Amino acid sequence: MGLFSRVCAALIALIVFHTMATGAQSQALAAINGGSGSSEETTSTDLPEPLSQDAVREMVARMSDDQVRDMLLDRLDAVAAAESQTGTPAGTGVFSQLNTLWVAFYSNPLDAIVKLPTLVQKQGEAIGGFVREFGGASGVFKMLGLTAIALAVGFGVEFLAQRLTKRWQRSLPPSDSATLRESLSFLFRRFMREIFGLIIFYFTIRMVGRALLDTQQLIFVAPMVTYLIWWPRLGAAVSRFVLAPKKPSLRLVSLDDHWAAFLHKNLVGLILLSGFTIFAVGFNMNAGHSLAETRIGFWLDSAVYLYIIFIAWSARDGLVELMRGSDPDRTEYDELVARCYPYYVIAVAAGMWVLVTILAGLGNVELLLKGAHYTTMFWLIIAPTLDMLVRGLVRHLVPPMIGQGPLAEKAYRSTKRSYIRIGRVLIAGIVLVLIANSWDMNIADFTSQRQGFGSRLIEFLMTLAVGYIVFEVVSLWINRKLAKEQTSSDPVSEDVAVGEGGGAGGSRLATVLPLLRLSALTGIVIIFTLLAVGTLGIDITPLLAGAGILGLAIGFGAQKLVTDIVSGVFFLIDDAFRVGEYVDVGGTMGTVEKISIRSMQLRHHRGNVHTIPYGSVEKVTNFSRDWVIMKLMFTVPFDTDPNKVKKIFKKIGAEMLADPLFENDFLEPFKSQGVLQFDDVGIVMRGKFMAKPGTQFTIRKEIYNRVRKEFADNGIEFARREVRVAIPGLDHDDELTDVEKQAIAAGAGGAVQAQVEQQSEKK
């Protein structure tokens, strides 16, 4: 119909333009007709039924210009009259709308104050009319008596049902040994017994009431029982399940006995007051009295908000304790929410009072009569406590910590926070849907129409929420995998920690997962951001085209960067190095400390950090892959038996291979390789062993200690560097004077110093 209306308006505009262009001709035609028939025909022209396109064309074809002009004026006058009646002229600005809301806000309580002196009188008239409608006081007492009988029967049947279902309730577990599962089982069974009893009570009084009361009486009794008996009892059952005011050992929330009893009592009172408000408003309407006559609804509704403010202010310490919970891993955000929660409840109550006052001032009370504002306020107030519930569930449902140590604890806390954030988004979405349904708004239909900025904004937020959940799920999965890989790897040995390179690296997943996480999360952010922007009605095609052009520009202008990235991808595919491995990259040696999409960082065993782009790497030598062979050399005097040294090495290798501290580190035991060479000092004996990367330094240290001990036990000394000075013609060295000995020592020292300098130059 919108398109058809615009077509009709265009046709009428063209006709008006034609009329203005041919005004002289119209006057001549009017003179010929004598000016009498035209007015009569104009006033008698009506819109055809049905109003189709063909009918409009036919009507316009047989109408004169004066008739078209008069019809257009009549329609404009009707629109102006309608706007004047509603008080909202076309083209209302923002300030005019704000003024309308302000008038609606203050006029409603002002009107209630003005009518306050007549409240008792008007309410008395409503009650009097109700009494007369039911046949006087006797009729009312008869109805109340029959209602009491129905209630008595309902309570009796409920009592029998509770006795029959008593076996459902297991015995109360001891307070000092009750687990969470046992406590939940006891509370849930008790709650289900109460709900079952309430259902039996409801159906019993419904059947008995229909048998004892007529339709007119049921119109009064049914809301009274529902709002003043059923709702408070249901709220009390839910409150007992959560707060357990008389069973502190089974309490699901962090509250002491005083605040648990206080909140339980006042929550039931709040539900009773809210039900009485809805019942009183409905009673007046059924009695034929307008809400504007007594304004009792305004005062009772305001009392509900004041009661909520009273509860929040009086129990603010208990509410803070409730929101803190018992989770030891609370964050600063959780602590801030806990401290602000009582004031948040007060703000929600005050804000809802303002909203309801404005809606009532504007005359939009249909949804208020259904209690939509109470539903909204309930979910807004309960949402932070649901967050506390999520934290409690995550504490018990999160997978156990993988491994031990600070790294495992950090990963465990990160996992918990991810679960909590996912739960918060889901709860926020559910709460918004429930609030929308209470106001008769279907989110699916609302977004499918895609009309206006409001619907697009909702779809935008929903897209961001879905993207955030996907972001957290992917991050959670990768972080758990990374934590498992990192905590399952062997700890860094003391020798590597103090600066010796060559330790064992991490797994391949531990190297690739950080890059995968960065790439995946970046892709999710970009994709869902573009999708969310598209839901706002913005064409993302130019953004995609601009991104492509920008990518080409970066590709041509930063070819070295592209080379580094591509080279890094192939190095990772080839598994050339991993985080923690000791490598040699073009003469630069160090442990792989960090990798990115463009470069790698090597930390030398002396502490220097080298950043090397992948594009400049031609060859990588890995010293930490699979196994390590270490060769040790010992110099003994020339008169030492090599076979004896060989047996000592073999003995040491067998002992260490049987030692529980080293048996899992050896791939091949320590053994002798015989005589390597002769030098100026003595015989150089060499031994070797094969071990797992990262363990060779501890093994080497232990071998040194054991060789020194075995040599001492077998009378073998390590060769020392000596300088022998031969003096021709000196046959009696024992006859040298002190001066001659000092001269010889000085000459020998100079010779040793010269030899050391020559060896240094060769190195």
Side-chain angles (χ1 to χ4, degrees), residues 76 160 206 230-231 449 555 627 738 749:
L76 293 176
L160 293 177
R206 183 172 181 177
W230 169 261
W231 275 19
Q449 295 176 1
W627 48 268
D738 292 338

Side-chain angles (χ1 to χ4, degrees), residues 364-624:
N364 301 326
V365 297
E366 181 179 357
L367 292 175
L368 298 180
L369 297 176
K370 298 180 181 179
H373 52 306
Y374 290 153
T375 303
T376 302
M377 183 171 56
F378 169 78
W379 286 114
L380 289 178
I381 291 176
I382 208 70
T385 61
L386 294 178
D387 176 75
M388 179 267 299
L389 178 63
V390 167
R391 287 189 282 124
L393 290 176
V394 167
R395 180 185 176 188
H396 295 281
L397 299 179
V398 68
M401 184 172 63
I402 302 174
Q404 299 292 333
L407 184 63
E409 294 177 358
K410 181 180 179 181
Y412 178 72
R413 287 193 296 268
S414 177
T415 300
K416 287 181 61 176
R417 301 311 303 175
S418 295
Y419 275 102
I420 291 173
R421 287 192 293 266
I422 293 174
R424 284 172 177 169
V425 174
L426 293 177
I427 285 179
I430 293 173
V431 169
L432 289 177
V433 170
L434 293 174
I435 292 176
N437 289 336
S438 67
W439 295 94
D440 290 344
M441 292 188 299
N442 192 322
I443 299 296
D445 297 339
F446 186 58
T447 56
S448 64
Q449 295 176 1
R450 299 181 65 86
Q451 295 178 357
F453 180 74
S455 62
R456 296 183 182 276
L457 180 60
I458 291 180
E459 193 169 357
F460 172 80
L461 296 177
M462 292 175 63
T463 304
L464 289 182
V466 173
Y468 181 77
I469 292 177
V470 174
F471 180 92
E472 286 291 347
V473 170
V474 173
S475 177
L476 178 63
W477 181 82
I478 295 179
N479 286 337
R480 281 192 59 80
K481 284 286 185 181
L482 184 60
K484 182 178 180 180
E485 293 295 326
Q486 291 177 339
T487 55
S488 62
S489 60
D490 296 333
V492 180
S493 65
E494 181 181 356
D495 299 279
V496 178
V498 298
E500 297 209 49
S507 66
R508 189 173 186 181
L509 277 178
T511 301
V512 176
L513 282 176
L515 293 179
L516 178 62
R517 177 178 57 189
L518 177 62
S519 303
L521 298 184
T522 303
I524 291 172
V525 170
I526 293 175
I527 291 173
F528 278 94
T529 300
L530 291 176
L531 291 176
V533 171
T535 59
L536 294 176
I538 301 174
D539 187 9
I540 63 174
T541 304
L543 295 177
L544 296 176
I549 296 174
L550 180 61
L552 290 176
I554 293 176
F556 285 112
Q559 297 183 17
K560 184 63 170 62
L561 176 63
V562 176
T563 302
D564 293 337
I565 295 175
V566 174
S567 299
V569 170
F570 283 104
F571 274 122
L572 293 177
I573 292 175
D574 294 337
D575 195 19
F577 49 81
R578 300 173 185 174
V579 174
E581 292 184 332
Y582 194 82
V583 297
D584 182 353
V585 181
T588 303
M589 303 177 66
T591 302
V592 181
E593 188 173 77
K594 181 180 178 182
I595 63 173
S596 64
I597 61 174
R598 190 195 70 88
S599 63
M600 61 188 300
Q601 289 185 357
L602 300 183
R603 181 175 292 276
H604 194 265
H605 55 264
R606 294 178 180 174
N608 303 330
V609 177
H610 306 280
T611 300
I612 304 174
Y614 296 125
S616 61
V617 177
E618 296 182 357
K619 182 181 69 173
V620 177
T621 303
N622 197 324
F623 296 96
S624 302

